[in-house]
Structure formats: C-alpha cells, structure tokens
Amino acid sequence: LDADYAAALKLEKDPDVEVEVVDGSTGKSFMAWQAKLPRATLGGVEMSEKVATVYPYKERDVVGIFGPSSFAGRLVLLEIGKGRLILRDKQPSAMPKRPGTPYLGTGSGGSLPAIAVELPGLTVPALLDSGNTSPLLLPRELADKLPLDGPLKVSGQAHSVGGVQDVYEARLKGNIRIGPVLLENPLVKFAGIHANVGLPIIRQLTILLDPAEEKSWIVQSSALAAVELDAFAGKYGIRALRAEGSTLIYQRDGRPSYPLRYMGGDLFSLDETGDLLQFWRDGGRIAGFDLINANGTITPVPRTP
C-alpha cells in the first residue's frame, strides 16, 4: 500500500518488522514497513493476506498493489482484457494437464508469476507485470544472444520505485510467441534483469495462477470432443444447450444463440455478454450450472429432468 493511503486508513505500523523490497526492474532494494490488515476484501471476497507492505508508492491513480497470493489456496483465473479475475477451488478437474511455469524469484526471498516467452533459439520465463505499459521488455544481456536488425539504441528511461535506468531498443530478426500472441519481427525494448510481459500483451491472454504451488499457465481456448459436449447438451429451464461440431451453443427461449468458449474444469465463457457458466455434477452427470453475470451475480440453473 502507498504510505499516504495507509495513513488515511489509520493502519498501525508494526515496529518489529521491516521489509526489504527488491525492485524487479533495477534489482535495487529499499526498506519498507509492515501494517496489519484487520479484514480486507476485494470484490466481496476476503483476502487471505493479513498484512500489507507499506512504502511511498506515489503513483497518481494507484494506492496499492494486490497479487494472486492474496487468494492462496485457490486457483486464480485472470482475464484482464475482460476486466475480471475468477477464483476457483483447487479440484483435479480444474488443473491443467501440462506443467506450469514456475514463479520467478525477486531476490529478496519472494517470487512473482511468470509465463514462458518463445524467442528465436531459446525460451525464457518472463514476469507478468500489469503495471508495465510496454508490451515486452527483455533483459539487456539477452541482446547479445538474439538476431537483431541493427545495433542497440537508447530509446528512453524506465522509472520505478528502485530507481531510473536506460532502455534500449532494436528490431528483432525473427518472431516472438507468448501463448496465442505472435509478434513478427518486432521492435524490442531491453532493460532490467528479468524478461517482463506488460499490460498490452496481458490483455490478450487468459492466465491461470496457482499461488500455493507458485506456478502459472497460459490458458488457450480448448475444444472438447463431440462425445464430451453431448454431456452438457440439454434443457435447463428456459435455456437450452446444443453441440455443433466442437462448440457448445447456448440459447435462451426467444433470444439469439451464442457459442460458449471452453475454459477447462466444466467452466465456459459466454464472451458476447461477459457471463460465465460453471457447471456442476451429480454422480458424474451434469446436473446444472451457475450463471455468473458480469456484475458478479450468481444464478443457479438446474438441468430439466
């Protein structure tokens, strides 16, 4: 939390605790203090963290930062492009089958979510940084290992809580892939000690985080086999679902029909409206779903016998 905001909330400083904060961009550290949070919620959901690190953050429109560790013990599905964060219980059906990307250490005993970035000839983990307005930053040291179309040039400076550093840029001869996002011969910026994926790319991704195990995945739209889709097809009161090829179609009586996007673990997204459908089972059979509106309202919808 920003120090002024913590003061406005009348949070008490813990005199026995000082926290060393290491800036992920510069590697520089500084000391901050810690305050106890009697009870904090986000979107009506209670946070598991009971303390906050406090220092003069001094951003114009930001009073603090929260991360997925605020909901440790649950899965965090992040869709910033749709303005939503979805919390899920850690059940086997919700876990991806492929290995996740381990979090990256920050140098002070902590770690932050990371995803894999495929570069020409190598793959590197990159920190997820929603506060970064650049699509992608690569470490300066990687510039000597990549095929560049010309020499590095200083393009500006990066300012962070840890200080100021030069930012270099050059055009890459080759492509970069980050999940479904392909950057062809992009102009790449180099700075810092870790690769860093910023907000313009994060907006295009669906990211699953497991804070307890410190792993992350890029979730790409999955297709279910026809026999699996048939398990969801049927009547649900005034709503009906039917399978068309590898897509499940949703329709309410007298309304247009829409395709559902499968997101794993019996979860589907109705992208046209921003709603979610979380199906539930009874004895292995689909027995209904929770219709989760964009405003967070949950409506149970049982399957018609």
Side-chain angles (χ1 to χ4, degrees), residues 97-133:
K97 301 295 189 293
R98 52 193 170 81
T101 301
Y103 283 19
L104 277 177
T106 60
S108 60
S111 54
L112 295 172
I115 54 176
V117 174
E118 299 176 31
L119 303 168
L122 72 158
T123 298
V124 299
L127 291 171
L128 289 167
D129 187 359
S130 60
N132 178 16
T133 57

mmCIF file of all heavy atoms in Angstrom, residues 97-133:
data_model
loop_
_atom_site.group_PDB
_atom_site.id
_atom_site.type_symbol
_atom_site.label_atom_id
_atom_site.label_comp_id
_atom_site.label_asym_id
_atom_site.label_seq_id
_atom_site.Cartn_x
_atom_site.Cartn_y
_atom_site.Cartn_z
ATOM 1 N N LYS A 97 -3.418 -30.116 -17.572
ATOM 2 C CA LYS A 97 -2.682 -31.367 -17.698
ATOM 3 C C LYS A 97 -1.185 -31.132 -17.915
ATOM 4 O O LYS A 97 -0.367 -31.979 -17.588
ATOM 5 C CB LYS A 97 -3.248 -32.182 -18.870
ATOM 6 C CG LYS A 97 -4.728 -32.526 -18.734
ATOM 7 C CD LYS A 97 -4.973 -33.448 -17.554
ATOM 8 C CE LYS A 97 -6.399 -33.963 -17.531
ATOM 9 N NZ LYS A 97 -7.383 -32.884 -17.268
ATOM 10 N N ARG A 98 -0.801 -29.995 -18.487
ATOM 11 C CA ARG A 98 0.611 -29.740 -18.783
ATOM 12 C C ARG A 98 1.291 -28.994 -17.641
ATOM 13 O O ARG A 98 0.622 -28.329 -16.848
ATOM 14 C CB ARG A 98 0.741 -28.941 -20.083
ATOM 15 C CG ARG A 98 -0.099 -27.684 -20.106
ATOM 16 C CD ARG A 98 -0.206 -27.090 -21.491
ATOM 17 N NE ARG A 98 -1.187 -26.029 -21.535
ATOM 18 C CZ ARG A 98 -0.967 -24.786 -21.150
ATOM 19 N NH1 ARG A 98 0.214 -24.444 -20.671
ATOM 20 N NH2 ARG A 98 -1.914 -23.873 -21.231
ATOM 21 N N PRO A 99 2.622 -29.095 -17.554
ATOM 22 C CA PRO A 99 3.337 -28.424 -16.468
ATOM 23 C C PRO A 99 3.192 -26.899 -16.570
ATOM 24 O O PRO A 99 3.110 -26.334 -17.664
ATOM 25 C CB PRO A 99 4.795 -28.855 -16.685
ATOM 26 C CG PRO A 99 4.728 -30.056 -17.565
ATOM 27 C CD PRO A 99 3.510 -29.892 -18.410
ATOM 28 N N GLY A 100 3.177 -26.253 -15.417
ATOM 29 C CA GLY A 100 3.101 -24.801 -15.392
ATOM 30 C C GLY A 100 4.489 -24.173 -15.382
ATOM 31 O O GLY A 100 5.501 -24.847 -15.210
ATOM 32 N N THR A 101 4.525 -22.859 -15.567
ATOM 33 C CA THR A 101 5.775 -22.102 -15.489
ATOM 34 C C THR A 101 6.006 -21.689 -14.041
ATOM 35 O O THR A 101 5.144 -21.044 -13.441
ATOM 36 C CB THR A 101 5.705 -20.839 -16.372
ATOM 37 O OG1 THR A 101 5.465 -21.220 -17.728
ATOM 38 C CG2 THR A 101 7.004 -20.049 -16.293
ATOM 39 N N PRO A 102 7.149 -22.050 -13.443
ATOM 40 C CA PRO A 102 7.411 -21.655 -12.054
ATOM 41 C C PRO A 102 7.522 -20.137 -11.921
ATOM 42 O O PRO A 102 7.945 -19.443 -12.856
ATOM 43 C CB PRO A 102 8.753 -22.337 -11.740
ATOM 44 C CG PRO A 102 8.888 -23.423 -12.758
ATOM 45 C CD PRO A 102 8.207 -22.916 -13.984
ATOM 46 N N TYR A 103 7.130 -19.627 -10.769
ATOM 47 C CA TYR A 103 7.301 -18.209 -10.484
ATOM 48 C C TYR A 103 8.796 -17.869 -10.505
ATOM 49 O O TYR A 103 9.659 -18.720 -10.303
ATOM 50 C CB TYR A 103 6.741 -17.869 -9.105
ATOM 51 C CG TYR A 103 5.230 -17.760 -9.024
ATOM 52 C CD1 TYR A 103 4.403 -18.327 -9.986
ATOM 53 C CD2 TYR A 103 4.630 -17.103 -7.957
ATOM 54 C CE1 TYR A 103 3.027 -18.232 -9.887
ATOM 55 C CE2 TYR A 103 3.248 -17.006 -7.841
ATOM 56 C CZ TYR A 103 2.446 -17.580 -8.813
ATOM 57 O OH TYR A 103 1.088 -17.483 -8.710
ATOM 58 N N LEU A 104 9.093 -16.583 -10.720
ATOM 59 C CA LEU A 104 10.471 -16.107 -10.714
ATOM 60 C C LEU A 104 10.798 -15.466 -9.371
ATOM 61 O O LEU A 104 10.012 -14.657 -8.858
ATOM 62 C CB LEU A 104 10.687 -15.073 -11.824
ATOM 63 C CG LEU A 104 10.968 -15.606 -13.230
ATOM 64 C CD1 LEU A 104 11.076 -14.442 -14.210
ATOM 65 C CD2 LEU A 104 12.253 -16.415 -13.255
ATOM 66 N N GLY A 105 11.966 -15.796 -8.820
ATOM 67 C CA GLY A 105 12.409 -15.172 -7.593
ATOM 68 C C GLY A 105 12.774 -13.721 -7.814
ATOM 69 O O GLY A 105 13.294 -13.347 -8.878
ATOM 70 N N THR A 106 12.488 -12.887 -6.818
ATOM 71 C CA THR A 106 12.762 -11.454 -6.939
ATOM 72 C C THR A 106 14.063 -11.045 -6.276
ATOM 73 O O THR A 106 14.462 -9.894 -6.351
ATOM 74 C CB THR A 106 11.628 -10.641 -6.293
ATOM 75 O OG1 THR A 106 11.529 -10.988 -4.903
ATOM 76 C CG2 THR A 106 10.306 -10.944 -6.976
ATOM 77 N N GLY A 107 14.729 -11.980 -5.598
ATOM 78 C CA GLY A 107 15.992 -11.656 -4.968
ATOM 79 C C GLY A 107 15.884 -11.352 -3.492
ATOM 80 O O GLY A 107 16.887 -11.205 -2.804
ATOM 81 N N SER A 108 14.664 -11.233 -2.965
ATOM 82 C CA SER A 108 14.506 -10.936 -1.535
ATOM 83 C C SER A 108 13.708 -12.041 -0.829
ATOM 84 O O SER A 108 13.083 -11.807 0.189
ATOM 85 C CB SER A 108 13.806 -9.594 -1.343
ATOM 86 O OG SER A 108 12.520 -9.617 -1.938
ATOM 87 N N GLY A 109 13.722 -13.242 -1.416
ATOM 88 C CA GLY A 109 13.008 -14.355 -0.811
ATOM 89 C C GLY A 109 11.601 -14.525 -1.338
ATOM 90 O O GLY A 109 10.965 -15.528 -1.096
ATOM 91 N N GLY A 110 11.098 -13.538 -2.074
ATOM 92 C CA GLY A 110 9.766 -13.614 -2.655
ATOM 93 C C GLY A 110 9.832 -14.051 -4.103
ATOM 94 O O GLY A 110 10.897 -14.198 -4.690
ATOM 95 N N SER A 111 8.673 -14.291 -4.699
ATOM 96 C CA SER A 111 8.613 -14.681 -6.103
ATOM 97 C C SER A 111 7.321 -14.156 -6.712
ATOM 98 O O SER A 111 6.341 -13.910 -6.009
ATOM 99 C CB SER A 111 8.706 -16.201 -6.256
ATOM 100 O OG SER A 111 7.716 -16.844 -5.477
ATOM 101 N N LEU A 112 7.344 -13.997 -8.039
ATOM 102 C CA LEU A 112 6.216 -13.402 -8.748
ATOM 103 C C LEU A 112 5.836 -14.272 -9.940
ATOM 104 O O LEU A 112 6.677 -14.993 -10.499
ATOM 105 C CB LEU A 112 6.578 -11.993 -9.235
ATOM 106 C CG LEU A 112 6.848 -10.951 -8.149
ATOM 107 C CD1 LEU A 112 7.393 -9.666 -8.770
ATOM 108 C CD2 LEU A 112 5.583 -10.664 -7.352
ATOM 109 N N PRO A 113 4.551 -14.228 -10.378
ATOM 110 C CA PRO A 113 4.104 -15.051 -11.501
ATOM 111 C C PRO A 113 4.878 -14.756 -12.773
ATOM 112 O O PRO A 113 5.243 -13.612 -13.067
ATOM 113 C CB PRO A 113 2.629 -14.660 -11.652
ATOM 114 C CG PRO A 113 2.227 -14.152 -10.308
ATOM 115 C CD PRO A 113 3.440 -13.479 -9.760
ATOM 116 N N ALA A 114 5.117 -15.817 -13.539
ATOM 117 C CA ALA A 114 5.845 -15.707 -14.794
ATOM 118 C C ALA A 114 5.211 -16.618 -15.835
ATOM 119 O O ALA A 114 4.527 -17.581 -15.497
ATOM 120 C CB ALA A 114 7.319 -16.078 -14.594
ATOM 121 N N ILE A 115 5.429 -16.287 -17.103
ATOM 122 C CA ILE A 115 4.985 -17.130 -18.208
ATOM 123 C C ILE A 115 6.136 -17.278 -19.199
ATOM 124 O O ILE A 115 7.084 -16.492 -19.189
ATOM 125 C CB ILE A 115 3.741 -16.552 -18.928
ATOM 126 C CG1 ILE A 115 3.990 -15.115 -19.387
ATOM 127 C CG2 ILE A 115 2.517 -16.613 -18.039
ATOM 128 C CD1 ILE A 115 2.864 -14.524 -20.186
ATOM 129 N N ALA A 116 6.037 -18.290 -20.040
ATOM 130 C CA ALA A 116 7.110 -18.584 -20.989
ATOM 131 C C ALA A 116 6.990 -17.692 -22.224
ATOM 132 O O ALA A 116 5.905 -17.502 -22.781
ATOM 133 C CB ALA A 116 7.060 -20.050 -21.398
ATOM 134 N N VAL A 117 8.132 -17.155 -22.666
ATOM 135 C CA VAL A 117 8.224 -16.351 -23.880
ATOM 136 C C VAL A 117 9.163 -17.070 -24.844
ATOM 137 O O VAL A 117 10.325 -17.331 -24.509
ATOM 138 C CB VAL A 117 8.749 -14.934 -23.581
ATOM 139 C CG1 VAL A 117 8.976 -14.157 -24.877
ATOM 140 C CG2 VAL A 117 7.775 -14.187 -22.685
ATOM 141 N N GLU A 118 8.657 -17.421 -26.029
ATOM 142 C CA GLU A 118 9.449 -18.138 -27.030
ATOM 143 C C GLU A 118 10.137 -17.136 -27.938
ATOM 144 O O GLU A 118 9.494 -16.394 -28.691
ATOM 145 C CB GLU A 118 8.546 -19.070 -27.842
ATOM 146 C CG GLU A 118 7.857 -20.138 -27.009
ATOM 147 C CD GLU A 118 6.890 -20.984 -27.828
ATOM 148 O OE1 GLU A 118 7.168 -21.165 -29.045
ATOM 149 O OE2 GLU A 118 5.874 -21.432 -27.284
ATOM 150 N N LEU A 119 11.470 -17.119 -27.879
ATOM 151 C CA LEU A 119 12.307 -16.240 -28.698
ATOM 152 C C LEU A 119 13.045 -17.078 -29.739
ATOM 153 O O LEU A 119 13.090 -18.302 -29.628
ATOM 154 C CB LEU A 119 13.314 -15.517 -27.798
ATOM 155 C CG LEU A 119 12.743 -14.690 -26.642
ATOM 156 C CD1 LEU A 119 13.857 -14.279 -25.688
ATOM 157 C CD2 LEU A 119 12.012 -13.470 -27.168
ATOM 158 N N PRO A 120 13.638 -16.458 -30.760
ATOM 159 C CA PRO A 120 14.412 -17.237 -31.727
ATOM 160 C C PRO A 120 15.563 -17.985 -31.047
ATOM 161 O O PRO A 120 16.486 -17.384 -30.515
ATOM 162 C CB PRO A 120 14.951 -16.156 -32.679
ATOM 163 C CG PRO A 120 13.962 -15.038 -32.595
ATOM 164 C CD PRO A 120 13.522 -15.038 -31.151
ATOM 165 N N GLY A 121 15.461 -19.310 -31.007
ATOM 166 C CA GLY A 121 16.530 -20.122 -30.467
ATOM 167 C C GLY A 121 16.482 -20.381 -28.985
ATOM 168 O O GLY A 121 17.279 -21.183 -28.475
ATOM 169 N N LEU A 122 15.576 -19.760 -28.246
ATOM 170 C CA LEU A 122 15.513 -20.012 -26.804
ATOM 171 C C LEU A 122 14.159 -19.588 -26.257
ATOM 172 O O LEU A 122 13.437 -18.787 -26.869
ATOM 173 C CB LEU A 122 16.630 -19.293 -26.062
ATOM 174 C CG LEU A 122 16.575 -17.779 -25.920
ATOM 175 C CD1 LEU A 122 17.436 -17.322 -24.748
ATOM 176 C CD2 LEU A 122 17.050 -17.095 -27.187
ATOM 177 N N THR A 123 13.828 -20.144 -25.101
ATOM 178 C CA THR A 123 12.603 -19.802 -24.387
ATOM 179 C C THR A 123 12.992 -19.320 -23.000
ATOM 180 O O THR A 123 13.805 -19.950 -22.322
ATOM 181 C CB THR A 123 11.661 -21.011 -24.274
ATOM 182 O OG1 THR A 123 11.281 -21.438 -25.583
ATOM 183 C CG2 THR A 123 10.401 -20.658 -23.491
ATOM 184 N N VAL A 124 12.412 -18.184 -22.576
ATOM 185 C CA VAL A 124 12.761 -17.612 -21.274
ATOM 186 C C VAL A 124 11.490 -17.352 -20.480
ATOM 187 O O VAL A 124 10.432 -17.084 -21.053
ATOM 188 C CB VAL A 124 13.552 -16.293 -21.432
ATOM 189 C CG1 VAL A 124 14.850 -16.524 -22.176
ATOM 190 C CG2 VAL A 124 12.715 -15.227 -22.138
ATOM 191 N N PRO A 125 11.568 -17.446 -19.147
ATOM 192 C CA PRO A 125 10.422 -17.047 -18.322
ATOM 193 C C PRO A 125 10.377 -15.536 -18.207
ATOM 194 O O PRO A 125 11.416 -14.865 -18.157
ATOM 195 C CB PRO A 125 10.729 -17.704 -16.965
ATOM 196 C CG PRO A 125 12.224 -17.765 -16.912
ATOM 197 C CD PRO A 125 12.685 -17.975 -18.325
ATOM 198 N N ALA A 126 9.170 -14.975 -18.175
ATOM 199 C CA ALA A 126 9.003 -13.528 -18.088
ATOM 200 C C ALA A 126 8.007 -13.190 -16.991
ATOM 201 O O ALA A 126 6.954 -13.824 -16.875
ATOM 202 C CB ALA A 126 8.522 -12.958 -19.424
ATOM 203 N N LEU A 127 8.334 -12.201 -16.196
ATOM 204 C CA LEU A 127 7.425 -11.730 -15.156
ATOM 205 C C LEU A 127 6.170 -11.145 -15.781
ATOM 206 O O LEU A 127 6.232 -10.476 -16.814
ATOM 207 C CB LEU A 127 8.104 -10.660 -14.306
ATOM 208 C CG LEU A 127 9.256 -11.107 -13.403
ATOM 209 C CD1 LEU A 127 9.953 -9.884 -12.818
ATOM 210 C CD2 LEU A 127 8.755 -12.016 -12.296
ATOM 211 N N LEU A 128 5.036 -11.398 -15.157
ATOM 212 C CA LEU A 128 3.786 -10.754 -15.551
ATOM 213 C C LEU A 128 3.688 -9.420 -14.813
ATOM 214 O O LEU A 128 3.697 -9.387 -13.584
ATOM 215 C CB LEU A 128 2.589 -11.639 -15.192
ATOM 216 C CG LEU A 128 2.411 -12.897 -16.028
ATOM 217 C CD1 LEU A 128 1.392 -13.815 -15.372
ATOM 218 C CD2 LEU A 128 1.972 -12.555 -17.436
ATOM 219 N N ASP A 129 3.598 -8.325 -15.553
ATOM 220 C CA ASP A 129 3.626 -7.002 -14.931
ATOM 221 C C ASP A 129 2.510 -6.139 -15.514
ATOM 222 O O ASP A 129 2.685 -5.467 -16.526
ATOM 223 C CB ASP A 129 4.985 -6.341 -15.165
ATOM 224 C CG ASP A 129 5.145 -5.037 -14.413
ATOM 225 O OD1 ASP A 129 4.188 -4.628 -13.720
ATOM 226 O OD2 ASP A 129 6.221 -4.419 -14.517
ATOM 227 N N SER A 130 1.350 -6.157 -14.851
ATOM 228 C CA SER A 130 0.216 -5.371 -15.342
ATOM 229 C C SER A 130 0.453 -3.874 -15.200
ATOM 230 O O SER A 130 -0.284 -3.075 -15.764
ATOM 231 C CB SER A 130 -1.060 -5.772 -14.590
ATOM 232 O OG SER A 130 -0.899 -5.540 -13.195
ATOM 233 N N GLY A 131 1.483 -3.468 -14.444
ATOM 234 C CA GLY A 131 1.803 -2.053 -14.309
ATOM 235 C C GLY A 131 2.742 -1.534 -15.385
ATOM 236 O O GLY A 131 3.067 -0.347 -15.408
ATOM 237 N N ASN A 132 3.171 -2.418 -16.286
ATOM 238 C CA ASN A 132 4.086 -2.043 -17.357
ATOM 239 C C ASN A 132 3.293 -1.775 -18.640
ATOM 240 O O ASN A 132 2.567 -2.650 -19.120
ATOM 241 C CB ASN A 132 5.104 -3.167 -17.583
ATOM 242 C CG ASN A 132 6.068 -2.870 -18.726
ATOM 243 O OD1 ASN A 132 6.198 -1.740 -19.175
ATOM 244 N ND2 ASN A 132 6.745 -3.906 -19.188
ATOM 245 N N THR A 133 3.411 -0.577 -19.194
ATOM 246 C CA THR A 133 2.644 -0.224 -20.393
ATOM 247 C C THR A 133 3.331 -0.663 -21.681
ATOM 248 O O THR A 133 2.750 -0.524 -22.758
ATOM 249 C CB THR A 133 2.405 1.298 -20.444
ATOM 250 O OG1 THR A 133 3.667 1.975 -20.399
ATOM 251 C CG2 THR A 133 1.539 1.750 -19.269
#
